Amino acid sequence: MTSFDTSPQLNVWRMLLALAVVFVMLATTGWTALRTHRESTALQASLAKWEHGSIHGLHLPDPEASPAQLARFFASLTPHEQDRLAHRYPLAVGNMNGAPVSLRYRANHVALDQARKVEKKRMHDSRLSTAGQQDAGRRMHRYESLLNPGRHILAFDPEGSGRVAEVFGNLTKAERISVVVPGVDTDLLTFQRTNRRYSAPVGMAKALYAAEREQSPTTRTAVIAWADYTTPDGLGVDAATGLRAAEGALRLNALLDALPGRAPVSMFCHSYGSVVCGVAADDMPRRVTDIAVAASPGMRVSKASRLGTSARVWAMRDATDWVQDVPYLEVGGLGHGADPVSSSFGARVLSARDAQGHAGYFQPGTDSLRNLADIGVGAYDAVTCARENDACRADLPRTSTAQRA
């Protein structure tokens, strides 16, 4: 989609029209539409089973305990005992912040295989409609793909439209960690795509991981494709408010607090994912050194300085991205605040040349991906600013990282 005429008068009318549409939607659907959230029954059942479980006659720890407490518990077990817990409570362990990363991978493998078998049966369930059987088939094939050797699934929840997170690289040995936070319409079935692959979380994370390794081959990096929150469904009411972002921010910070080691962490937040990162920013751990947003509708603040984070804030937007035409304001909870690429916002604005619209920021060969990779490996003096000057590099630490060829 291309941008519309940007005269001040038309911008005002577009703003008013957008707000009117949102208010009409609220009037017809009610605020209760925002509050519906399907309970993760399979995950909750696994957690409930864990809460009543024991090992060596002792109760298992509270699954909501701090990551440090849970890490100490798992460290006290033998590898065989850990593996037994992963097989007995796969969803609980697979989503437990504080459990060893490798154990979460094994637990989620078990949970995915169980979910695959459920959907395989549903494919031939005569009580389902043809559409229901086809949906079961799509989900089964997605689970089969996630079960492929070499895939590292850090989080998995099959309930509803599903949530998932995947790691590329060695998370426990990484010297730099990157987290990709996607936007609307992201779930198990859209977690990866064959067509337009770099518009889906797996493609985004793979492209970023490859670009980081090209930028700095000697830096051990890991990239997390994090689709472990319930995203808005399309550009409706949920996308116009911060409810999903607030829920996602809690989950995102729980992940960040539990990441192994002490490696610096960079956030790469696309579209509505930038709203999630904006809401999460003030509670992010200090090891988060950079927050980079692309195609952002706003971060729910008027200035970067109000995010409440010590992390560097970066922003980029392609000239053909339709998101530039959304009303950058917040009224009564509607809208997401100021434009992150505006000079008044105060972010470091990066070049996004050749990004190919709203979904193309992670496309290989683009300025946008190269800039994101530079940030991911800490090569700040290699980034390209949007306005063909050095403004986005002001007061940055110089690095010894190999520069882009």
Side-chain angles (χ1 to χ4, degrees):
M1 185 181 297
T2 58
S3 61
F4 299 105
D5 188 305
T6 56
S7 71
Q9 293 86 351
L10 285 178
N11 275 335
V12 171
W13 279 111
R14 182 163 55 246
M15 180 189 307
L16 294 174
L17 177 60
L19 286 173
V21 169
V22 171
F23 279 119
V24 168
M25 292 178 70
L26 287 172
T28 55
T29 62
W31 284 104
T32 54
L34 296 176
R35 300 181 185 278
T36 58
H37 179 67
R38 293 186 62 178
E39 298 293 343
S40 301
T41 54
L43 175 55
Q44 286 187 338
S46 185
L47 287 168
K49 187 177 177 183
W50 168 280
E51 289 172 347
H52 291 89
S54 63
I55 190 165
H56 302 314
L58 300 175
H59 287 297
L60 298 175
D62 183 351
E64 297 298 324
S66 72
Q69 289 177 290
L70 290 169
R72 286 194 294 272
F73 163 73
F74 282 104
S76 72
L77 304 177
T78 66
H80 175 73
E81 290 167 340
Q82 290 184 8
D83 199 57
R84 191 169 68 187
L85 291 178
H87 280 80
R88 187 178 295 172
Y89 317 103
L91 279 173
V93 175
N95 293 277
M96 193 171 291
N97 292 312
V101 168
S102 59
L103 188 65
R104 290 180 68 169
Y105 295 160
R106 295 202 300 275
N108 283 319
H109 189 91
V110 174
L112 280 161
D113 190 50
Q114 292 176 351
R116 180 191 64 82
K117 292 174 181 176
V118 169
E119 297 304 328
K120 188 174 183 179
K121 289 182 180 178
R122 293 182 69 245
M123 285 175 61
H124 307 289
D125 190 337
S126 60
R127 295 170 296 179
L128 295 178
S129 65
T130 300
Q133 292 174 340
Q134 290 173 343
D135 179 69
R138 286 191 292 269
R139 292 175 73 98
M140 188 200 73
H141 290 305
R142 169 62 70 239
Y143 298 148
E144 286 181 340
S145 174
L146 293 171
L147 283 165
N148 283 341
R151 299 197 72 167
H152 300 132
I153 307 305
L154 186 65
F156 166 63
D157 182 358
E159 190 64 23
S161 59
R163 297 192 293 247
V164 63
E166 182 172 9
V167 176
F168 300 90
N170 190 323
L171 189 58
T172 57
K173 295 183 178 179
E175 297 171 309
R176 305 278 309 193
I177 297 173
S178 299
V179 182
V180 175
V181 183
V184 301
D185 291 329
T186 301
D187 55 30
L188 276 167
L189 295 181
T190 60
F191 186 57
Q192 64 186 90
R193 294 189 176 103
T194 301
N195 298 319
R196 299 175 62 245
R197 68 177 65 182
Y198 301 113
S199 66
V202 167
M204 292 176 178
K206 276 187 170 182
L208 180 61
Y209 182 58
E212 288 180 350
R213 296 186 70 179
E214 181 179 356
Q215 161 59 262
S216 182
T218 61
T219 302
R220 295 194 304 272
T221 63
V223 179
I224 303 173
W226 189 79
D228 193 27
Y229 79 108
T230 303
T231 68
D233 183 11
L235 300 178
V237 177
D238 275 4
T241 71
L243 179 67
R244 295 301 184 202
E247 295 170 347
L250 292 174
R251 300 182 66 82
L252 179 58
N253 280 329
L255 165 83
L256 296 175
D257 287 338
L259 288 176
R262 298 182 179 180
V265 178
S266 299
M267 307 299 303
F268 299 99
C269 319
H270 178 255
S271 194
Y272 190 85
S274 68
V275 186
V276 177
C277 289
V279 175
D282 64 347
D283 280 331
M284 285 181 178
R286 291 190 64 83
R287 66 189 292 190
V288 174
T289 57
D290 298 273
I291 302 172
V293 301
S296 177
M299 300 181 74
R300 300 196 72 78
V301 290
S302 58
K303 294 181 181 294
S305 59
R306 295 185 178 177
L307 287 169
T309 178
S310 60
R312 287 172 285 270
V313 180
W314 309 80
M316 62 170 66
R317 186 173 65 215
D318 178 59
T320 64
D321 191 337
W322 58 260
V323 81
Q324 67 188 303
D325 296 305
V326 306
Y328 282 98
L329 78 171
E330 188 274 326
V331 178
L334 302 174
H336 302 303
D339 182 354
V341 302
S342 66
S343 57
S344 61
F345 188 78
R348 300 172 184 272
V349 184
L350 296 161
S351 169
R353 188 176 57 190
D354 302 324
Q356 304 176 19
H358 189 71
Y361 291 85
F362 291 82
Q363 184 76 30
T366 58
D367 263 13
S368 52
L369 179 61
R370 284 190 292 267
N371 277 324
L372 296 177
D374 289 337
I375 293 168
V377 297
Y380 303 114
D381 43 359
V383 299
T384 305
C385 302
R387 300 183 177 96
E388 299 183 355
N389 57 31
D390 295 331
C392 73
R393 293 196 296 269
D395 304 318
L396 286 172
R398 293 193 64 82
T399 65
S400 58
T401 307
Q403 298 305 298
R404 156 193 318 164

